[in-house]
Amino acid sequence: MLQSFLQWKQGEAKKLAALSPEKRLAYIWDYYKLWILGIGAALLLLVSGLWLYFTNDKETRCFVLFANTTADLGDGSELHRDFAAWAAYDRETLRFADQCFCDPTRKLYGNQYYQMLIAYMDSGTMDLLVMDPDGLSAIGASGRLMDLRDPRLSGILEGFSDRVIRVIPSESENGSDPVPVGIDLAGSRLVGPGKPYPFGAVLGVNALAAHPDQALIFLNFLFDNQAP
């Protein structure tokens, strides 16, 4: 694979060297614009996230990303207000985002939403991910979701044992045994006819989450369990 990449790189370098500066820029834009836009969007998101982190006077208590839904679930939404009131949190310490549309089961080179999702996860900015079952399972298989047996997630497996979603890691070095990475949200505030995810959704915890303890609290809210 490395040899093929080097051969491709050499071939591209020869093509570019033979072009004028104007044609060189046109060639790069025509063939690599999706990569450029995707990486640019990811960098912009990362910079804006860091800016918010360092300039916000109030520490973020929990950041939830709702992927692949057209429902209004972002900051200021009814769900955002209800969770803040239920958990007795200051709304300014909660971040809800809902503008992310991608299918992680496919190759997504240049997809800006996927790049945004990965930037949120790999930077540790996002805590919880709500997504359709297939999409979240693909993210979990990649190793980007926390194993629900992690001590920091104490109480989740016990309280939601009949809803656990398991995946087999896509990388052989991570083993071949199914890993619990998600909780099926069927019947919750989010899933069902007339709800944001009529065809199903699963909640997972970012492997690099800064506030993994919020997962159990948010799950109890979604299923109308007792407030903390």
Side-chain angles (χ1 to χ4, degrees), residues 7 10 58 62 64-65 89 102-103 105 124 138 148 162 175 181 201 210:
Q7 290 175 345
Q10 290 173 354
K58 297 183 179 181
C62 184
V64 188
L65 177 63
Y89 289 164
C102 62
D103 180 3
T105 65
L148 298 183
D162 59 334
V181 297

Side-chain angles (χ1 to χ4, degrees), residues 79-101:
L79 187 76
H80 184 257
R81 297 193 304 270
D82 287 350
F83 179 52
W86 180 88
Y89 289 164
D90 184 333
R91 275 194 293 167
E92 293 184 17
T93 67
L94 298 176
R95 291 191 62 195
F96 281 16
D98 59 6
Q99 295 297 306
C100 181
F101 306 94

Side-chain angles (χ1 to χ4, degrees), residues 133 136-142 145 165-169 176-182:
L136 189 128
S137 293
I139 294 292
S142 73
L145 292 179
I165 302 298
R166 293 176 170 82
V167 299
I168 296 176
S176 58
D177 295 330
V179 178
V181 297

Side-chain angles (χ1 to χ4, degrees), residues 5 7-8 14 19-20 22 32 46 65 76 81 95-96 146 161 176 182 184-185 205 209 214 219:
F5 172 75
Q7 290 175 345
W8 169 83
K14 289 180 180 179
L19 298 175
S20 65
E22 294 80 7
Y32 300 105
L46 183 58
L65 177 63
R81 297 193 304 270
R95 291 191 62 195
F96 281 16
M146 192 174 290
S161 59
S176 58
D184 187 347
L185 299 179
V205 184
Q214 295 301 304
L219 281 168

Side-chain angles (χ1 to χ4, degrees), residues 17-60:
L19 298 175
S20 65
E22 294 80 7
K23 290 184 178 181
R24 193 176 302 158
L25 289 174
Y27 178 87
I28 292 173
W29 179 249
D30 287 341
Y31 286 91
Y32 300 105
K33 60 184 173 184
L34 290 179
W35 280 96
I36 294 170
L37 291 173
I39 293 172
L43 289 174
L44 180 62
L45 181 67
L46 183 58
V47 170
S48 63
L50 291 173
W51 183 84
L52 287 172
Y53 178 83
F54 286 111
T55 59
N56 192 354
D57 292 335
K58 297 183 179 181
E59 180 183 356
T60 299

Side-chain angles (χ1 to χ4, degrees), residues 3 9 26 66 89 108 113-114 123-124 126 142 146 153 163 166 178-179 183 200 203:
Q3 185 176 1
K9 184 178 178 182
F66 302 91
Y89 289 164
L108 296 168
Y113 288 115
Y114 181 71
S123 66
M126 185 189 77
S142 73
M146 192 174 290
L153 300 177
R163 296 177 172 276
R166 293 176 170 82
V179 178
I183 298 296
L203 180 141

